[in-house]
Amino acid sequence: MDALVTAMLSHSDTLLHDPLSQAGQQVAEAEERREQQMRVLSGLAQGSPARVYAEHVLSEIERTVVLSRMHLELIQNVLG
């Protein structure tokens, strides 16, 4: 158990001090949120208020994915 906690803390420390890893993690998390939202959206009735709102949320998540990828690319260019 101690080794697992140590490994988790080491991973957290790496993300805090490695902007490239942190940006990559942010992209992965945003893409996962997009997939989750698409699953939610697929279960909602066309034209319903819930679907309209879910589509709005999806568009905001899409913007986040684009911005996260741009951030990652910027860091890669700066570090590369």
Side-chain angles (χ1 to χ4, degrees):
M1 183 69 172
D2 289 334
L4 177 61
V5 171
T6 302
M8 289 173 60
L9 290 175
S10 295
H11 181 68
S12 295
D13 288 343
T14 299
L15 286 177
L16 288 175
H17 299 293
D18 183 358
L20 189 59
S21 293
Q22 188 176 26
Q25 182 69 28
Q26 289 171 344
V27 169
E29 289 171 0
E31 289 174 342
E32 177 59 29
R33 284 192 300 273
R34 179 181 57 200
E35 294 301 317
Q36 290 170 352
Q37 189 65 17
M38 290 171 66
R39 286 191 296 272
V40 167
L41 194 60
S42 70
L44 299 173
Q46 197 75 324
S48 69
R51 184 173 179 105
V52 170
Y53 183 73
E55 288 170 345
H56 170 73
V57 171
L58 180 59
S59 71
E60 292 300 316
I61 293 170
E62 288 287 352
R63 282 180 6 122
T64 301
V65 169
V66 169
L67 292 172
S68 295
R69 285 183 181 158
M70 289 171 58
H71 183 234
L72 175 61
E73 187 176 324
L74 177 64
I75 291 172
Q76 288 171 331
N77 290 334
V78 166
L79 296 177

